[in-house]
Amino acid sequence: MGVTLGAATSFLVTSVNERTRWRRQQAVRWDEQRLSAYAEYAHAVKELAARYQMIAAARGLVSGPIPLEPTPEVLLELRELESRRSALSETLGLLGDTEANTASKTLDHCVWRLECLARDIATETEQNWDQAYLEFRDARSRFVERARASLGVSGAVARDVVWPVAWRPAARPSSPR
């Protein structure tokens, strides 16, 4: 009877340990996939916003980035970048948690707003580039915060670091349009 009890106990302990190990491996596997999805999506959105900012510079809406005229080649590149962003958004829907996915939807809306401004697409209300870009940056920060929370990364992304005034680029006069 003691041998049977010992064997049964050993079997139960081994089963619990194996199940715990399997769950831990699965959690790590999904966290790796989630990290990749969050990072790739954030990069795709940042790439789109940078291109829209360059087009906005060509239209005189903002100074700073290298102006980029919306040629057919540039518009094709934007379509490809948007397609990539959209596909990555689908991956987020599968892997991300509710808060990070909700933040990604807000970020999508902000990027589309930048597109409308940069490409001079009419909207229901008049919009301001500087305000739209600030809202984009805030939405991107919220997405990163939610993604980090989803991955269990604690603390702030970074501390504020003041860029010395002497290092800042001088404002370029924008061309009238």
Side-chain angles (χ1 to χ4, degrees):
M1 180 141 168
V3 170
T4 303
L5 182 60
T9 303
S10 176
F11 174 76
L12 286 174
V13 168
T14 300
S15 294
V16 168
N17 284 340
E18 283 299 312
R19 185 172 297 177
T20 301
R21 187 171 60 85
W22 183 82
R23 285 182 183 155
R24 192 177 315 118
Q25 287 173 340
Q26 291 302 309
V28 167
R29 178 176 151 217
W30 288 116
D31 278 350
E32 289 172 356
Q33 295 289 335
R34 199 172 298 119
L35 170 62
S36 179
Y38 288 151
E40 288 179 31
Y41 169 79
H43 180 72
V45 166
K46 190 174 182 178
E47 246 184 314
L48 272 169
R51 293 297 191 291
Y52 292 139
Q53 188 176 34
M54 294 166 81
I55 293 171
R59 291 193 51 234
L61 298 176
V62 65
S63 63
I66 298 169
L68 180 66
E69 292 295 330
T71 63
E73 294 81 17
V74 168
L75 295 176
L76 176 62
E77 178 190 10
L78 287 171
R79 276 194 297 278
E80 290 168 357
L81 287 171
E82 173 56 27
S83 179
R84 181 170 179 264
R85 186 221 48 81
S86 179
L88 291 169
S89 183
E90 295 298 322
T91 303
L92 285 184
L94 294 171
L95 297 173
D97 73 1
T98 302
E99 295 303 317
N101 287 342
T102 302
S104 77
K105 298 305 175 206
T106 301
L107 186 52
D108 288 343
H109 296 169
C110 288
V111 168
W112 296 332
R113 182 175 176 200
L114 293 180
E115 176 186 18
C116 288
L117 287 166
R119 296 185 56 201
D120 199 22
I121 298 170
T123 57
E124 293 293 321
T125 60
E126 190 172 322
Q127 300 178 19
N128 173 283
W129 176 267
D130 291 335
Q131 181 64 35
Y133 195 78
L134 181 62
E135 289 173 11
F136 159 76
R137 289 180 53 142
D138 289 345
R140 189 170 186 283
S141 292
R142 275 192 307 279
F143 170 73
V144 169
E145 289 170 5
R146 300 305 188 271
R148 287 169 52 92
S150 169
L151 295 167
V153 179
S154 61
V157 173
R159 291 185 181 90
D160 285 337
V161 177
V162 177
W163 195 11
V165 174
W167 295 0
R168 294 181 191 160
R172 288 187 265 172
S174 59
S175 60
R177 294 226 171 177

